[in-house]
Structures are given as structure tokens and as C-alpha cells.
Amino acid sequence: MATYPAPAKINLFLHVTGRRDDGYHLLQTAFQFIDFEDSLEIDVTDVDEVLRLEGADYVDADEDLAVRAAWALKRLTGCRRGARIKVHKEIPAGAGLGGGSSDAATVLVALNELWDTGLDEHALAKLGLDQGADVPVFVHGFAAFAQGVGDELTPYTWPERHGLLVVSPVHVSTPRVFADAQLTRNTPAITIRDLEKASVGNDLQPVARRLFPTVGEALDILSGIEEFETPRMSGSGGGVFAFDTLRYDSGRLEHLARELDGRLNGNTVAKQQTRPRGSASADGCERWTVRPFKTLNRSTLHERVFGASIR
Ligand code: C5P
């Protein structure tokens, strides 16, 4: 079986600028990838079926976006070949880090090669959009300014920064956050030229914070660390991140992460390390996730597996 990475993303900011007639929200956001990823083992069979051999036990195989993406590609292309997929989850679900969407995109990009179904990047991204608004950015694999429902992408290069990521033990429901009556839905649109100087934030953050108090706890913890920029929530939450303003010091960030992990999880680091990959706690509902991270302008899938272009 070949192994493919499925990296997480963060939203550097996220504004809700309107709502479509179908209820979906119009956004402006900035995506960057981070060096935190799921990995998928995929091989091809001559049997017309898609099997998930391993995966998160909090999602049924039929509901797993990785499996649904494979079926969607089969349906669109009429491909009669099959696939066996192992999904090793590291990215917590319900964290605004795009884990499920990234798994789906990795399956689309990998199987399009392995099955030789010949879709171009644009067609794959369009197919991915049916699986979720965040899938296209993972299919394209470049950091981007995004509009529409998050699918109209303009490649954009931000500085690659280091910081700390904290995900509290709660699965934040994206539909619940978007449906909240108190959500601000009329933030004025900015242009790509305004990006550097505009004052930006995450409009979903106050709602997620009120509905899921541990999101506020995570924001407060990161606010209290000296030399960090103001923390921000990613996507619909509950993952939060803060950039370090110091010159990169991996030792300092790792030390901070270990200390915080011990404080939040009761020094159960040894237990975490022996946890089987893909076990229940990977959904972020039992433990806090605390880790140093670096942002990336290219997806590790594209960098490591497909080189500069997927085509
Ligand atoms: O696309 P995704 O599966 O992430 O969206 C989950 C839910 O979040 C949607 O069904 C919708 O209720 C809400 N959503 C939204 N506007 C967006 C993205 C998501 O209202 N741009």
C-alpha cells in the first residue's frame, strides 16, 4: 500500500459576508496548511468496491469522507476498479482544521492517479466541493485567499510562521455555529489588496466560544503566553492557534507545549504516546491536543507525493 499525507489547514481569518438562499454562508477567508497531518494508505484492487480497512471509530466507514470521496470519483468517471483505504487519524475532528476534508481530497487526488481516471485539478476540486466546502483547497494544495463558500480560491503566499495549536476536548458542530442567531453575517467584504492592512478576525469565534466554553478556555490560555500574538480560532472551531513573535526557537515551543499538555491532560503524556493510532481519542473529545506547528504555503501531499503539480 502507498502512503499519502492529508495535512490540516488553519484559517488565518474568517469573515462571514452574507448568506445564500440555500442557507450556506458567503465567506472571505485565508487558508494556510500546517505541519500536522493524517496519513492514508491506499491500494487499488480489481474488485468494484471501496473498503475502509482502518479508520476513526467515531465515524462509520460509509460516512467517512475518505470513502465517500472514492465512491464519488467512481460514480463520476464510471471507473470499475476498487480501493482499500486505511485512514490513520491524527487531526482531531470538530476542530476547524479540515481533517475530514483533507482526507477526502487526498483520496480524490491519489485515486485519480492510481485509477488513471484522468480528471484535471479543476474537475477534482469541483467534485470535492460536493463533499464539503473545504475540500477544494486541499485538492489544489496551495495557500489561498478564499471567497464564495470558501471554494473560490486565489493562491496567496503568507509568511511561514511558527506557533502553538490548542484543541480542547470538544467536537464543535459546524452547522450549529453557522446556524446561531447571534452570528454576524454582514462583515464588509475586503479586497485581496486590503489583506495586508485590513483588520481581520474570525466571525465564528464569539459564537463558538459561547456555545462551547472550552474554546474560550483555549483562547485564554494562549492569550496568557508572553510573546505570542493574539490567538485566533480556526474555521468553525474549536482549534485555536497563536503565532510566536520571537525568532523561531523549536526548543521553547516544544517546552511550552509539553508544559501545557501536562497541565491540561494531567500529565498523561505516556498514555497518549501508547494510544493506538486512529483510536477513539483522536476525535479530540477526550484529551486536549497541544502542539507546536509551522504554517506551510504548499500542501505536503503535493510537495512530497506529486511534486509541484498534480497534473
Ligand atoms: O461544507 P461543510 O460540510 O463543512 O459544512 C457543514 C455545514 O456548515 C453546512 O451544512 C452548513 O450548515 C454550514 N456551512 C455554512 N456555510 C459555509 C460552510 C458551511 O453555512 N460556507
Side-chain angles (χ1 to χ4, degrees):
M1 278 185 148
T3 302
Y4 300 86
K9 57 83 178 166
I10 56 172
N11 299 83
L12 301 176
F13 78 94
L14 192 157
H15 290 171
V16 181
T17 54
R19 198 179 199 175
R20 292 197 316 206
D21 292 344
D22 65 0
Y24 256 75
H25 289 79
L26 296 169
L27 312 175
Q28 287 193 316
T29 188
F31 289 110
Q32 242 185 343
F33 306 101
I34 60 172
D35 58 345
F36 182 26
E37 59 194 32
D38 292 339
S39 71
L40 283 83
E41 291 177 78
I42 303 175
D43 71 6
V44 167
T45 66
D46 289 323
V47 185
D48 190 6
E49 63 183 3
V50 177
L51 293 177
R52 187 186 74 166
L53 303 183
E54 278 180 42
D57 51 16
Y58 52 84
V59 53
D60 288 344
D62 291 349
E63 295 298 314
D64 194 316
L65 283 181
V67 173
R68 292 170 65 143
W71 280 110
L73 181 62
K74 278 175 79 63
R75 271 195 306 273
L76 182 71
T77 61
C79 171
R80 305 296 301 271
R81 302 183 74 192
R84 301 188 309 160
I85 304 173
K86 293 184 184 177
V87 186
H88 302 292
K89 289 301 291 178
E90 292 294 332
I91 306 168
L97 301 173
S101 301
S102 188
D103 296 344
T106 292
V107 164
L108 290 177
V109 171
L111 282 180
N112 189 47
E113 293 273 326
L114 296 170
W115 282 342
D116 203 15
T117 35
L119 295 190
D120 66 16
E121 193 177 312
H122 179 74
L124 277 182
K126 188 158 176 283
L127 182 60
L129 183 59
D130 297 338
Q131 322 293 313
D134 286 343
V135 179
V137 75
F138 291 110
V139 167
H140 291 297
F142 46 72
F145 174 60
Q147 306 190 82
V149 294
D151 60 315
E152 293 167 21
L153 301 168
T154 307
Y156 203 87
T157 301
W158 281 273
E160 296 191 335
R161 308 280 310 269
H162 294 267
L164 267 192
L165 174 72
V166 176
V167 187
S168 68
V170 64
H171 182 127
V172 170
S173 157
T174 302
R176 222 182 127 192
V177 172
F178 271 109
D180 192 86
Q182 292 179 32
L183 176 65
T184 299
R185 299 186 165 85
N186 59 355
T187 298
I190 56 173
T191 66
I192 200 162
R193 277 202 214 98
D194 292 336
L195 266 182
E196 309 284 339
K197 49 182 183 350
S199 154
V200 295
N202 184 334
D203 289 338
L204 305 177
Q205 187 171 305
V207 174
R209 187 177 185 137
R210 178 170 47 77
L211 297 177
F212 303 94
T214 56
V215 172
E217 233 181 288
L219 287 161
D220 293 344
I221 288 166
L222 285 176
S223 295
I225 301 178
E226 261 179 60
E227 309 293 349
F228 273 20
E229 288 182 6
T230 306
R232 188 163 291 161
M233 191 177 81
S234 181
S236 55
V240 306
F241 62 93
F243 291 128
D244 192 354
T245 53
L246 294 179
R247 224 159 50 82
Y248 176 52
D249 176 350
S250 67
R252 174 175 178 266
L253 282 178
E254 270 158 31
H255 175 76
L256 277 171
R258 263 198 312 277
E259 207 179 60
L260 206 51
D261 188 278
R263 179 143 62 94
L264 293 166
N265 290 313
N267 287 313
T268 53
V269 175
K271 194 171 126 202
Q272 182 196 27
Q273 282 169 350
T274 55
R275 168 173 68 76
R277 298 178 88 197
S279 68
S281 59
D283 69 355
C285 289
E286 290 173 23
R287 298 179 49 85
W288 291 76
T289 299
V290 183
R291 49 179 298 136
F293 74 93
K294 176 181 192 275
T295 62
L296 304 166
N297 286 313
R298 286 290 291 167
S299 154
T300 46
L301 173 68
H302 299 71
E303 286 289 340
R304 290 212 296 268
V305 182
F306 295 101
S309 165
I310 65 167
R311 281 161 293 188

